[in-house]
Amino acid sequence: MGYPELDLNSKTAVVIGGTSGIGLTLAKGLARAGADVIPTGRRQNLVQDAVCEITKTGRKSLAIECDVADRVSVETLCERVHAEFGKADILVNCAGITQRTPTLQQSEADWNRILDTNLTGTLRSCQIFGNKMVERQYGRILNIASLTSRVAFYEVAAYAASKAAVASLTKSLAVEWARYGVCVNALVPGVFRTALNAEMLDGTGRGRECLMRTPMGRFGDLEELVGAAVFLASDAASFVTGHLLVVDGGFLASGTNQ
């Protein structure tokens, strides 16, 4: 029989930062759940490849680049999506960058670049797409927070500050927009090996420590984020807002593991 409230048929989803890593995995997962999905990012070739992945599932898509650091770019994306599909039911904000740097050596330029992409970029897309959702009295926004929203990781202060702020922004928007039928939540992934962090994890003390602190004793598989994302994007989550859904193999629950 299934559970119809989890079915995303007739929904349109926009995944910003949806051409690689977590974003691409979530974009494909939303498509498998029935949504038409627009995966977007800055690089045209990756956008085209991601769109091909979506259309292979039988769902509709749209190839258009977007840079969250450029408000006009996000506005253009929103206009194109609404022109082609008439609406955007679901917005997933996955665009993100990081840099490992001792905080005493952190340049203001790099700090600002990371905050502008991870935090202000999320704000831009939430404002632009959220405005349409508030008008329609319906929407599902899913931001990507981080373990660093809750605990400190060594020498990534800018990234951690941006993700702690994304968690706070998620709650603020949830409270403001709840009355308009717009639910705003965030995923908190544990340690998932992606192109963004592979250099920090592979064969390093940091990687070994992450494994030691994760009770399941392994890195997450990106597909393990899809179920949580589909739930938060669906009508099954109609009374869930301002929530940070942790998918971390027990990391944050852990005191000692042996």
Side-chain angles (χ1 to χ4, degrees), residues 15-246:
V15 184
I16 299 179
T19 60
S20 63
I22 289 174
L24 180 57
T25 299
L26 296 186
K28 293 190 291 185
L30 293 171
R32 291 197 305 272
D36 294 326
V37 181
I38 299 90
T40 185
R42 291 178 298 167
R43 287 173 283 185
Q44 184 179 25
N45 61 320
L46 294 184
V47 170
Q48 293 286 355
D49 291 345
V51 166
C52 286
E53 292 290 319
I54 300 305
T55 56
K56 283 178 186 175
T57 69
R59 309 310 306 176
K60 296 176 183 175
S61 191
L62 171 68
I64 177 173
E65 301 101 270
C66 179
D67 181 358
V68 293
D70 180 353
R71 176 170 285 270
V72 172
S73 175
V74 183
E75 289 172 340
T76 300
L77 170 67
C78 186
E79 289 166 5
R80 284 284 306 279
V81 169
H82 282 81
E84 294 279 340
F85 294 89
K87 60 189 174 63
D89 303 288
I90 301 158
L91 170 68
V92 184
N93 286 306
C94 286
I97 56 175
T98 190
Q99 177 189 59
R100 181 172 177 174
T101 307
T103 306
L104 288 175
Q105 298 168 23
Q106 178 76 68
S107 73
E108 285 195 22
D110 284 338
W111 173 278
N112 290 337
R113 179 174 59 90
I114 292 167
L115 269 288
D116 188 53
T117 297
N118 297 359
L119 173 59
T120 312
T122 295
L123 172 67
R124 288 185 187 103
S125 55
C126 284
Q127 285 179 324
I128 291 163
F129 281 88
N131 186 54
K132 296 282 191 182
M133 291 176 174
V134 165
E135 285 179 4
R136 283 186 62 219
Q137 305 273 291
Y138 181 90
R140 299 285 184 269
I141 296 176
L142 180 56
N143 296 325
I144 304 299
S146 164
L147 291 178
T148 63
S149 302
R150 301 271 295 274
V151 295
F153 274 47
Y154 190 67
E155 293 186 339
V156 287
Y159 178 81
S162 73
K163 290 299 186 177
V166 165
S168 181
L169 175 65
T170 297
K171 295 175 185 179
S172 293
L173 296 182
V175 170
E176 287 189 40
W177 297 348
R179 69 192 65 186
Y180 304 112
V182 179
C183 297
V184 188
N185 296 289
L187 278 183
V188 181
V191 185
F192 289 76
R193 185 189 176 281
T194 70
L196 191 67
N197 63 14
E199 193 174 309
M200 294 185 190
L201 296 178
D202 291 348
T204 65
R206 188 192 199 91
R208 289 187 289 273
E209 184 177 357
C210 287
L211 290 173
M212 180 272 292
R213 294 191 60 182
T214 302
M216 287 191 179
R218 63 177 175 83
F219 299 136
D221 183 308
L222 290 178
E223 285 293 330
E224 292 176 299
L225 291 167
V226 172
V230 170
F231 166 65
L232 290 175
S234 75
D235 289 336
S238 58
F239 201 56
V240 180
T241 197
H243 183 63
L244 308 178
L245 180 48
V246 179

